[in-house]
Amino acid sequence: MERKKRCRMHGGAHGSGAPPGKRNGAYRHGMRTHEMIELRREIRELTRISRETIAAGVE
């Protein structure tokens, strides 16, 4: 695929996919945007840390 303009497996040119976000007709609610996925990861990490802190008995 090097030096080729099209993917040999899928046939699409690089960057020729659907537009991101609200410009895409399949956009519904934003729960699966990159920003929301990252926010949920951060919340899970903070929750994990707080549970470990409580379990250790540290105030």
Side-chain angles (χ1 to χ4, degrees):
M1 284 192 314
E2 288 183 35
R3 294 177 269 143
K4 303 264 184 189
K5 297 199 185 258
R6 302 237 178 234
C7 172
R8 69 180 177 88
M9 303 295 282
H10 304 102
H14 177 69
S16 67
K22 292 182 180 180
R23 292 180 32 222
N24 186 338
Y27 184 84
R28 296 285 189 270
H29 45 65
M31 288 301 293
R32 291 182 179 87
T33 61
H34 294 291
E35 294 84 11
M36 285 301 295
I37 292 170
E38 183 60 31
L39 177 62
R40 285 194 298 273
R41 283 183 185 140
E42 291 174 9
I43 291 170
R44 276 195 305 269
E45 178 66 15
L46 290 172
T47 302
R48 184 188 63 77
I49 290 169
S50 65
R51 285 181 180 162
E52 289 175 354
T53 303
I54 291 170
V58 177
E59 293 183 11

